[in-house]
Amino acid sequence: MVEKDAEQKLAWKLLEACPDAIELFAPDGTILYVNQAAAQQHMASVDKLLGANIWTLYPPGSSVHRKTIVNQVLNSGVSLQFTDRNGDEWHEVLICPVGRKNESVEHIATYTRNITARIRAEEGLKLMSLRLLTYQEDERRRIAQDLHDDIGQNMIALMLSLKDIHDKIEICCRSKVGEQVKETIQTVEEMMRHTRKVFYELRPPSFTTLPLANVIETLCSSIALSTGLRIVLSSQEQVPPIPDMQATILYRLAQEGMNNVIKHAQAKSVWVNLEYTDDEISISLEDDGQGFDPDQGFSSGMGLQGLQERFF
């Protein structure tokens, strides 16, 4: 008996020392136990809380939400977990059934952990990722502008000069030099096409002048033309305008996804779906390629891993 009492005292001490708020109450809401962390959370003494109705401690909206979850736990006998926000603080709440009597749950226990620091850290990481994406897009625009202003213009001038030389050679001497110059012109034209492709990949059209669906449609057409892939884009007509950065992220997702299909999937067709439901925009890609086993991880390349790190 002494050992059992000692174990019970130790258990109560552990509950009191726990930094998580712990509450035990009856199905009707009568509070049977709270630890010090729970008392501090409710800004009341333990004695004042014992015997009170737990639903009076929460704002009406939060109280209704918790009652609904508690009823689910009472009916199913299965624990449920959710995230709750109270002002500037975030909490992770676990609601558990305790004991059974005549096939009914006797009591309900709640474990509430303050996760505000974690949420703020996650929001900070998201903000940092968004800033990095902004810097990356700015750098891409700068490189694209340099390609257009310097290399592109010089290649146009070179091609025009070569064509002029070719025409003069054809008129004057009709030698094999004319054929060589013609081949050089074709090489320069191919380089120009490649430069334009790189320029477009680095800097998509402005989303302020074209809707996202139109820009992605142009991307699909360009890739289909250059690769021979059959690309089918499905998009709702009423996709609302979204900020440039979010539109750019979705554009890059489609672009990187199709690049992975080209490199690895050995596919013949790709289906791109752009949807707007419940105030959320989503984009998905599907292909008829060889696929892979996700349980085996990414055996080669960084494409899918890069997509996960960047967009999820």
Side-chain angles (χ1 to χ4, degrees):
M1 179 64 70
V2 175
E3 289 184 1
K4 188 173 182 181
D5 288 343
E7 289 176 357
Q8 288 179 345
K9 288 181 180 179
L10 179 60
W12 288 115
K13 286 182 179 180
L14 289 173
L15 289 174
E16 289 302 316
C18 181
D20 297 340
I22 302 174
E23 304 158 328
L24 181 71
F25 56 93
D28 64 359
T30 302
I31 298 175
L32 305 174
Y33 168 80
V34 292
N35 67 352
Q36 287 297 327
Q40 290 175 6
Q41 178 181 302
H42 295 301
M43 294 183 291
S45 67
V46 171
D47 291 339
K48 186 177 180 179
L49 291 172
L50 292 176
N53 190 290
I54 195 167
W55 307 124
T56 63
L57 303 179
Y58 298 100
S62 177
S63 179
V64 170
H65 176 242
R66 285 174 178 257
K67 276 184 180 180
T68 301
I69 295 178
V70 166
N71 286 333
Q72 291 178 10
V73 172
L74 288 170
N75 293 329
S76 66
V78 178
S79 301
L80 291 175
Q81 184 172 312
F82 64 95
T83 301
D84 187 36
R85 183 176 183 178
N86 183 13
D88 294 331
E89 292 193 343
W90 291 85
H91 296 95
E92 193 173 67
V93 183
L94 176 64
I95 298 183
C96 305
V98 178
R100 281 187 174 275
K101 187 176 182 180
N102 298 325
E103 300 301 322
S104 298
V105 175
E106 284 191 276
H107 304 116
I108 294 291
T110 64
Y111 304 85
T112 304
R113 175 170 296 176
N114 192 316
I115 58 170
T116 305
R118 190 183 81 190
I119 294 295
R120 288 176 180 170
E122 290 174 353
E123 289 176 348
L125 286 174
K126 289 178 181 178
L127 182 59
M128 185 179 295
S129 297
L130 186 60
R131 286 176 178 170
L132 287 173
L133 285 173
T134 302
Y135 296 149
Q136 187 180 57
E137 289 300 325
D138 290 343
E139 183 66 10
R140 286 187 176 197
R141 290 189 183 95
R142 186 192 66 77
I143 294 172
Q145 197 62 48
D146 288 345
L147 281 174
H148 179 270
D149 293 345
D150 297 333
I151 299 176
Q153 297 296 333
N154 290 335
M155 289 177 67
I156 290 173
L158 174 61
M159 187 185 68
L160 293 174
S161 178
L162 286 169
K163 284 186 176 181
D164 184 55
I165 293 171
H166 175 263
D167 293 341
K168 290 177 180 178
I169 291 174
E170 285 288 305
I171 294 171
C172 295
C173 48
R174 298 181 180 278
S175 65
K176 291 183 178 180
V177 177
E179 290 298 320
Q180 293 175 345
V181 173
K182 188 175 181 180
E183 291 176 0
T184 305
I185 291 172
Q186 292 173 348
T187 301
V188 174
E189 287 176 339
E190 180 60 32
M191 291 171 63
M192 288 180 63
R193 283 192 292 270
H194 180 69
T195 302
R196 289 195 190 100
K197 180 174 179 291
V198 172
F199 173 80
Y200 185 80
E201 288 179 349
L202 285 171
R203 186 175 184 177
S206 172
F207 294 102
T208 57
T209 57
L210 285 174
L212 175 63
N214 291 34
V215 177
I216 292 180
E217 183 179 13
T218 302
L219 173 68
C220 293
S221 299
S222 175
I223 292 177
L225 185 63
S226 62
T227 62
L229 270 174
R230 175 177 172 265
I231 303 178
V232 179
L233 172 65
S234 174
S235 173
Q236 293 174 320
E237 293 182 2
Q238 299 300 324
V239 176
I242 60 174
D244 267 15
M245 180 48 63
Q246 281 76 7
T248 300
I249 290 173
L250 289 171
Y251 174 87
R252 294 298 182 199
L253 178 60
Q255 185 182 49
E256 294 295 335
M258 283 188 275
N259 284 340
N260 276 333
V261 171
I262 294 167
K263 292 177 182 177
H264 307 296
Q266 299 181 14
K268 294 181 180 179
S269 300
V270 181
W271 293 268
V272 183
N273 190 33
L274 184 66
E275 288 187 341
Y276 174 71
T277 54
D278 298 329
D279 296 326
E280 291 186 354
I281 295 178
S282 64
I283 189 167
S284 61
L285 282 80
E286 183 180 355
D287 63 74
D288 60 357
Q290 61 184 352
F292 67 97
D293 185 356
D295 293 333
Q296 294 182 357
F298 309 133
S299 58
S300 63
M302 296 291 288
L304 291 177
Q305 183 176 341
L307 283 176
Q308 284 188 327
E309 291 175 352
R310 182 171 181 180
F311 301 108
F312 303 105

